[in-house]
Amino acid sequence: MSEGEQKLADDQGKFARVVKDGRKLNDIEWESGRIILSNKRIVLVSNDGKRTIPLSEVDGLKGRIDVNQAIARVSGYISLQVGKDVTLVAPNDTEAFKNKLYGALLNQQVILAKHPAVEGGVVQDTEWKKGRLKIGDERVELAISDGQFVEIPLDDIGGVDEGNRTVMDDERLVLEVEHTEDDGTSVQTHISGTRRHTVFLRSLLREGEQRAEVNADLSEREHEVLMALYSGVSPFEIPNFVGMDVEKVEEVYDRLIELEILEEVRVRKEVRLKARGRHIASDVMDER
């Protein structure tokens, strides 16, 4: 390894190049071998030799590219876009490798953050400030220059919106991430940086957002309870607010907890919305 280079992961697995010079390749098969990750590169080692992918040349982490049945049979892999090439990498422990890869690409990068940009549905008069990124265990961590430390657990992301915005007089790609504070208050944190780093961060946050998506077949009563909670009504005031018996409301709570739309804070049914609950409520509000 070169000076200053640190090995982050060394795993057995499979890999395959599926796009070369912008064209999908034919007759693709997985190669088996070692997959080595450092803070500077990925090295793929097989019986046919060694291939090195510098992290500085990785342009994006794409979704699934199931070009044939052999590829589709592998449930978890990472798609690396390098220029006009796409290589699929499937370590034995894909999630651990992916977390370290995101860390290698994003850790200690300087970003711009506005927190909270929105709190409890109310837009805040918050200024953009510099900060540093760190990819923790299943979370994104932001150390902001004003002393704030913001944690965004990936399983607590209710939504990620994006768009080009004017930030400090420059046009930038901005990510608007909905999550919650420790007290359960819904907030939005807005994040920007270089386009390359923002694109990588978007890929990671989108994975968290997808965990909140759920196709739940909810009744009208369940929607009423969900929307009341989303609007800030106390769990103990829900029966009077929606005109339901306490026992019926607790039955609704039980079902929504079972669907992982609510989480129980303590016995006697104090509850609060989880990420997928906020996701559903937000979609319902957009439809009305």
Side-chain angles (χ1 to χ4, degrees):
M1 293 216 169
S2 61
E3 184 178 352
E5 188 172 6
Q6 299 176 340
K7 183 189 290 187
L8 303 176
D10 188 344
D11 199 358
Q12 295 294 315
K14 303 175 183 178
F15 37 87
R17 183 182 292 182
V18 296
V19 178
K20 185 175 182 180
D21 296 327
R23 293 180 292 107
K24 287 186 178 180
L25 300 177
N26 298 319
D27 302 323
I28 299 167
E29 295 289 341
W30 289 106
E31 291 184 76
S32 297
R34 287 174 68 193
I35 303 171
I36 304 168
L37 171 68
S38 78
N39 59 329
K40 294 187 176 182
R41 55 185 170 162
I42 296 173
V43 182
L44 308 176
V45 184
S46 71
N47 292 334
D48 294 331
K50 179 173 70 174
R51 181 182 170 209
T52 297
I53 303 175
L55 295 185
S56 60
E57 296 181 9
V58 177
D59 299 313
L61 303 180
K62 301 174 69 68
R64 293 187 66 86
I65 305 178
D66 292 339
V67 294
N68 60 29
Q69 288 299 314
I71 300 299
R73 280 195 293 269
V74 176
S75 60
Y77 59 72
I78 304 164
S79 303
L80 303 172
Q81 182 172 2
V82 182
K84 293 183 179 180
D85 295 355
V86 177
T87 298
L88 310 184
V89 178
N92 287 340
D93 191 343
T94 304
E95 290 306 313
F97 186 92
K98 186 187 297 183
N99 191 68
K100 291 177 181 177
L101 174 58
Y102 275 116
L105 293 167
L106 292 171
N107 277 349
Q108 300 308 310
Q109 296 299 327
V110 175
I111 50 91
L112 295 170
K114 184 188 286 189
H115 177 83
V118 180
E119 184 173 14
V122 179
V123 176
Q124 304 295 300
D125 185 20
T126 310
E127 296 182 355
W128 287 97
K129 296 185 182 299
K130 287 186 178 181
R132 285 195 182 273
L133 270 176
K134 185 176 185 302
I135 307 305
D137 185 16
E138 291 290 301
R139 67 186 58 239
V140 173
E141 300 173 357
L142 307 174
I144 304 177
S145 60
D146 63 2
Q148 292 188 91
F149 182 74
V150 182
E151 290 187 338
I152 306 176
L154 294 181
D155 62 359
D156 184 48
I157 296 174
V160 180
D161 291 324
E162 63 180 274
N164 292 318
R165 310 277 189 269
T166 300
V167 180
M168 294 184 171
D169 299 324
D170 290 328
E171 188 79 3
R172 292 176 177 267
L173 176 63
V174 173
L175 306 177
E176 302 175 352
V177 189
E178 192 275 341
H179 58 108
T180 59
E181 303 276 55
D182 289 341
D183 63 359
T185 302
S186 172
V187 297
Q188 278 188 21
T189 300
H190 294 181
I191 308 170
S192 188
T194 67
R195 189 166 189 90
R196 180 171 182 268
H197 293 137
T198 306
V199 166
F200 289 139
L201 183 59
R202 176 182 63 190
S203 297
L204 177 58
L205 294 170
R206 289 284 187 201
E207 289 191 18
E209 180 188 31
Q210 289 169 8
R211 300 180 191 183
E213 293 179 356
V214 60
N215 295 320
D217 184 14
L218 301 183
S219 69
E220 183 63 30
R221 284 298 199 184
E222 288 165 343
H223 269 123
E224 287 181 20
V225 171
L226 188 63
M227 294 305 298
L229 289 167
Y230 189 73
S231 301
V233 179
S234 164
F236 301 109
E237 296 172 354
I238 292 292
N240 289 333
F241 189 85
V242 299
M244 292 173 60
D245 293 337
V246 172
E247 292 78 9
K248 291 292 185 183
V249 170
E250 295 204 349
E251 287 177 9
V252 171
Y253 286 164
D254 287 336
R255 172 165 155 75
L256 296 180
I257 290 169
E258 183 180 339
L259 290 172
E260 296 188 345
I261 292 170
L262 299 181
E263 63 179 342
E264 190 169 4
V265 179
R266 60 174 180 248
V267 183
R268 289 304 302 164
K269 294 298 183 292
E270 182 180 357
V271 296
R272 67 183 178 195
L273 290 167
K274 297 184 70 172
R276 59 179 57 190
R278 301 194 305 275
H279 187 86
I280 293 171
S282 178
D283 285 347
V284 171
M285 289 187 71
D286 289 342
E287 292 171 0
R288 295 185 175 182

